[in-house]
Amino acid sequence: MDTAVMTTPAVLILLGPPGAGKGTQARMLEEKFGLVQLSTGDLLRAAVAAGTEAGKAAKAVMEAGDLVSDEIVINILRDRLAEPDCAKGVILDGFPRTTVQAQALDTLLAETGQKISAAVSLEVDDAAMVTRISGRYTCGNCGEGYHDSFKQPARDGVCDKCGGTEMKRRADDNAETVSSRLVAYHDQTAPLIAYYKDKGVLQSVDAMGEIDTIAGALAGIVEQAMK
Ligand code: AMP
C-alpha cells in the first residue's frame, strides 16, 4: 500500500455501465491506496444471500437486471459508510446509479464534512460489454476476477491469487439481463455524468484498453485528488 501522498480521505465515484471494469479497478485502488471499495451490488448480493428483508425485496429485481429501489440501496450504503474502516476513504462502485441516490450521497457526505474527490466516468462501447460480462467469473474465496477470453488463471480453475478452487459466476451475468442492465444504465445512471460535470468533479477515462493502463490513469486521478 502506498499512502505517502495521501492527506485527506478520498471519496471516489466510479461511473460506467456494467462490464466497464468498475469492480476490477476499485479492487486495485483499494490495494494501492488503502481505500475501501463500497460496491452496492456486493452489499445487495450479501443481503440476498443472508435472506434479509432488503435482500428478499432486491432478489427478483436484480435477476431482471433492473435497479433496486433508491430507498433500499441508500439505506444499505448509509449503514456501510458509517462503519469505521470507511474513514480511510472510499471508492464507490455502482453507487450512485440515480439522481436521487446522488443527492442522498451529497447529504450523507455533508453530514460528516466530506466531499466528493472525483467522479470518474469509465468510457466504453456498449457492444463490447455483453462479451465482457458474459465471460466473467470470480474466485469464490478472495474475489479475484477472471474472464473466459481475456484473463484466465495460470492453472485452469485455480485462483492465481489465493489458490482457491471455487469459481463463481453471477446469476445476472447472462445476455438477457445484461441488455436490461445496459438500458437501466443509459436511462437512469448516465445522466449522473452531467450531474458531476456541473459540480466540477467529473473526470473521464478511456476504459476500453488494458486493465493496467486504466489503473494507471485512475491512480493518477486519486493521487491528484489527495493533494
Ligand atoms: P453490480 O454488481 O453493480 O453490477 O449490481 C448488480 C445489480 O444490483 C444491479 O443490476 C442492480 O439490480 C443492483 N444494484 C447495485 N447497485 C445499485 C444501485 N446503486 N441502485 C440500484 N440498484 C443497484
Side-chain angles (χ1 to χ4, degrees), residues 35 39 43 48 61-62 91 93-94 109 115 135 147 155 196-197 199 210-211:
L35 302 169
S39 155
L43 293 170
V48 170
V61 179
M62 292 172 76
I91 309 153
D93 155 14
L109 293 176
K115 59 185 174 61
H147 194 279
R155 281 176 57 209
Y196 288 116
K197 190 169 184 203
K199 286 186 175 287
E210 293 293 321
I211 290 177

Side-chain angles (χ1 to χ4, degrees), residues 57-179:
K59 189 171 187 285
V61 179
M62 292 172 76
E63 279 167 2
D66 296 330
L67 292 187
V68 174
S69 78
D70 288 327
E71 191 190 357
I72 289 179
V73 178
I74 291 165
N75 282 337
I76 280 189
L77 195 272
R78 181 190 293 114
D79 291 350
R80 181 65 186 90
L81 205 51
E83 288 177 30
D85 61 334
C86 292
K88 294 188 280 186
V90 293
I91 309 153
L92 295 167
D93 155 14
F95 183 95
R97 262 173 154 106
T98 65
T99 305
V100 169
Q101 292 178 19
Q103 289 163 342
L105 178 64
D106 290 342
T107 307
L108 278 176
L109 293 176
E111 281 166 11
T112 51
Q114 289 173 284
K115 59 185 174 61
I116 294 160
S117 318
V120 185
S121 169
L122 298 176
E123 314 246 302
V124 290
D125 297 339
D126 263 17
M129 293 308 99
V130 179
T131 318
R132 276 203 199 179
I133 294 176
S134 33
R136 70 184 183 180
Y137 59 98
T138 52
C139 169
N141 182 45
C142 74
E144 183 70 359
Y146 294 98
H147 194 279
D148 292 329
S149 311
F150 311 129
K151 189 187 166 202
Q152 290 142 330
R155 281 176 57 209
D156 198 22
V158 182
C159 178
D160 294 339
K161 204 163 186 187
C162 75
T165 53
E166 202 187 309
M167 298 294 180
K168 290 194 310 193
R169 284 180 198 264
R170 278 172 47 175
D172 60 347
D173 277 352
N174 57 70
E176 285 149 46
T177 308
V178 171
S179 306

